[in-house]
């Protein structure tokens, strides 16, 4: 990180921890292929399986349920390819997705357009359980795949996965996938306890290297065909030699996240709440998105009427503060956030949306630095308003 800067964009990517970098270096020194049977291969395999065990523990499942991928997008694409099966059921014929899903879900599936339906969310960004239940009731004869993320990448709003799974089980022929990319390492995720059929995650969101991720499949649930054809790696679902250094780093990051989950949630939650209070004190007309709903402890998403996000981002960056206007996947695009649109936020207000997301290397001085820079941006906006009046 650049000296003297405040990096507050952990939902885009969380910088690699020093301990994780050390684990990557150790794995780079291993000469063997994890699929080889000689001593060097066995050492590589041991490192790979240690990483799988750590990721499984963080996700709340058994290691043999975890399949490694190149990231959350590949994992979600594989699950939503139409190949997901529960024993005794045919392929899903309908896909129901939440209105605020990440593009890896909303644009990454392979269902025909007339087989996909969007379930609305309320003004806070939480899935409309009544609408989901009603739609499942009308699809009693169909096998349905429901995909709702665990937490939103822009607003941090946490979804009621237990209730969603309960509705699916009441249907009897519905499977549930959750994109847990933003939740993993920030709040507890219990794959087995929730009763999910599939879960996907990405390492770089919890301080692992970029380019590694995983999917988890419940007992009795699998993919009908490999999503990457080649060798027999990863339960014969993803061919190709595994990215051992990256996965070893993800294992180390998962272990660190698991041991510090509660303490970091408390620390970052307090810092986030101080930031939120500071924003509202300086801009009383600011709107905090998802404020009335459960949110990730590290995430603050807000907008000030009349404030242009692009202008604010440049000013904050010049002041040494890195934040985002929303999803990093939409960086550089001048477009209304589909997440905020689904929540009923006006185009004018969503044009000024800013996202502050904290992480492991956030320190107390980062908050005042952001607020000082934000105050200068707001003062300029309010001065222009006064001149216009």
């Amino acid at each position: 990180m650049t000296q003297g800067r405040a990096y507050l964009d952990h939902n885009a990517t969380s910088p690699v921890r020093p301990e994780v970098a050390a684990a990557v270096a150790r794995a780079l020194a291993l000469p063997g292929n994890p699929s080889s049977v000689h001593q060097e291969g066995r050492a590589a395999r041991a490192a790979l399986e240690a990483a799988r065990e750590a990721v499984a523990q963080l996700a709340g499942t058994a290691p043999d349920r975890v399949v490694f991928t190149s990231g959350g997008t590949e994992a979600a694409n594989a699950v939503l390819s139409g190949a997901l099966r529960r024993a005794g059921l045919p392929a899903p014929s309908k896909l129901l997705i939440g209105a605020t899903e990440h593009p890896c879900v909303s644009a990454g599936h392979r269902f025909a357009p007339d087989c996909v339906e969007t379930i609305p969310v309320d003004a806070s960004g939480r899935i409309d359980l009544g609408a989901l239940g009603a739609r499942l009731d009308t699809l009693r004869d169909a096998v349905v795949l429901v995909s709702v993320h665990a937490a939103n990448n822009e607003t941090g709003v946490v979804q009621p996965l237990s209730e969603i799974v309960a509705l699916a089980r009441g249907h009897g022929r519905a499977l549930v996938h959750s994109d847990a990319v933003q939740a993993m390492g920030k709040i507890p995720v219990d794959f087995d306890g929730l009763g999910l059929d599939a879960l996907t995650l990405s390492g770089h969101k919890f301080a692992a290297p970029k380019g590694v991720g995983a999917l988890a499949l419940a007992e009795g649930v699998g993919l009908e065909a490999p999503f990457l054809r080649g060798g027999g790696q990863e339960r014969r679902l993803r061919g190709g030699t595994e990215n051992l250094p990256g996965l070893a780093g993800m294992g180390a990051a998962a272990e660190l996240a698991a041991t510090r989950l509660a303490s970091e949630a408390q620390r970052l939650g307090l810092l986030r709440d101080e930031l939120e209070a500071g924003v509202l004190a300086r801009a009383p007309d600011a709107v905090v998105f998802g404020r009335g709903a459960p949110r990730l402890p590290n995430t603050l998403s807000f907008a000030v009427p009349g404030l242009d996000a692009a202008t604010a981002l440049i000013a904050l960056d010049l002041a040494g503060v890195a934040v985002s206007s929303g999803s990093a996947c939409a960086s550089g695009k001048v477009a209304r956030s589909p997440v905020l649109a689904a929540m009923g936020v006006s185009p004018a207000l969503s044009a000024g949306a800013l996202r502050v997301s904290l992480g492991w290397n956030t320190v107390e001085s980062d908050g005042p630095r952001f607020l000082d820079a934000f105050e200068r941006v707001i003062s300029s906006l309010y001065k222009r308003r006064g001149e216009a009046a």
Side-chain angles (χ1 to χ4, degrees):
M1 186 171 65
T2 304
Q3 182 71 25
R5 286 181 62 84
Y7 182 80
L8 304 176
D9 200 17
H10 282 258
N11 283 12
T13 193
S14 193
V16 171
R17 289 177 178 269
E19 303 96 324
V20 172
V24 171
R26 289 192 297 272
L28 283 169
L30 295 173
N33 185 315
S35 296
S36 299
V37 297
H38 47 59
Q39 180 176 324
E40 290 81 359
R42 294 196 303 275
R45 171 59 61 179
L48 183 70
E49 296 310 319
R52 197 184 311 275
E53 185 171 346
V55 170
Q57 182 178 359
L58 183 64
T61 192
D64 63 358
R65 313 313 315 163
V66 173
V67 176
F68 286 137
T69 68
S70 67
T73 294
E74 182 191 356
N77 277 215
V79 169
L80 302 175
S81 66
L84 191 71
R85 299 286 189 279
R86 185 190 295 157
L89 291 180
S93 59
K94 281 282 187 180
L95 174 64
L96 305 183
I97 63 174
T100 56
E101 295 303 302
H102 188 275
C104 73
V105 169
S106 61
H109 63 80
R110 298 181 200 167
F111 284 73
D114 60 350
C115 295
V116 183
E117 297 182 24
T118 300
I119 303 301
V121 297
D122 62 22
S124 70
R126 299 258 283 179
I127 201 81
D128 185 333
L129 294 172
L132 175 59
R135 191 64 189 110
L136 288 172
D137 283 344
T138 64
L139 293 170
R140 284 290 174 186
D141 296 330
V143 178
V144 181
L145 175 55
V146 179
S147 185
V148 178
H149 54 210
N152 186 262
N153 55 304
E154 293 185 34
T155 64
V157 169
V158 177
Q159 295 293 344
L161 289 183
S162 295
E163 290 90 335
I164 291 168
V165 171
L167 288 173
R169 295 298 170 257
H171 175 276
R173 292 160 62 85
L175 296 87
V176 182
H177 158 253
S178 184
D179 164 12
V181 165
Q182 285 298 338
M184 198 65 58
K186 300 183 180 84
I187 58 175
V189 175
D190 186 356
F191 177 72
D192 291 348
L194 286 166
L196 292 165
D197 296 288
L199 174 145
T200 49
L201 61 92
S202 182
H204 76 102
K205 304 297 187 180
F206 55 92
K210 301 171 186 68
V212 285
L215 61 88
L217 299 171
E219 187 73 33
V221 175
L223 297 176
E224 187 178 49
F227 55 92
L228 196 58
R229 291 176 172 83
Q233 294 90 346
E234 297 305 306
R235 294 171 51 184
R236 299 189 177 278
L237 292 176
R238 186 185 191 273
T241 301
E242 295 92 344
N243 174 8
L244 181 59
L247 293 169
M250 184 164 69
E255 187 173 353
L256 286 166
T259 58
R260 303 175 185 182
L261 197 61
S263 60
E264 275 294 270
Q266 181 178 24
R267 182 180 78 89
L268 296 180
L270 290 172
L271 292 176
R272 190 274 310 275
D273 290 347
E274 289 175 4
L275 275 175
E276 185 172 306
V279 165
L280 293 172
R282 289 160 177 79
D285 55 344
V287 176
V288 177
F289 302 119
R291 192 180 186 193
R295 287 178 290 161
L296 296 174
N298 78 314
T299 304
L300 170 62
S301 176
F302 69 95
V304 178
L307 180 65
D308 176 67
T311 301
L313 286 176
I314 293 170
L316 291 168
D317 188 35
L318 291 173
V321 180
V323 299
S324 172
S325 60
S327 170
C329 301
S331 179
K333 299 178 183 177
V334 182
R336 186 184 183 194
S337 162
V339 170
L340 298 182
M343 293 166 60
V345 178
S346 70
L349 186 60
S350 63
L354 296 175
R355 181 189 69 188
V356 181
S357 49
L358 318 179
W360 68 269
N361 64 354
T362 302
V363 294
E364 287 190 15
S365 60
D366 289 340
R369 180 164 192 163
F370 166 79
L371 290 172
D372 287 346
F374 174 70
E375 186 168 12
R376 292 194 291 273
V377 171
I378 290 300
S379 296
S380 177
L381 172 66
Y382 288 166
K383 181 178 179 182
R384 292 195 302 273
R385 284 185 187 174
E387 292 172 348

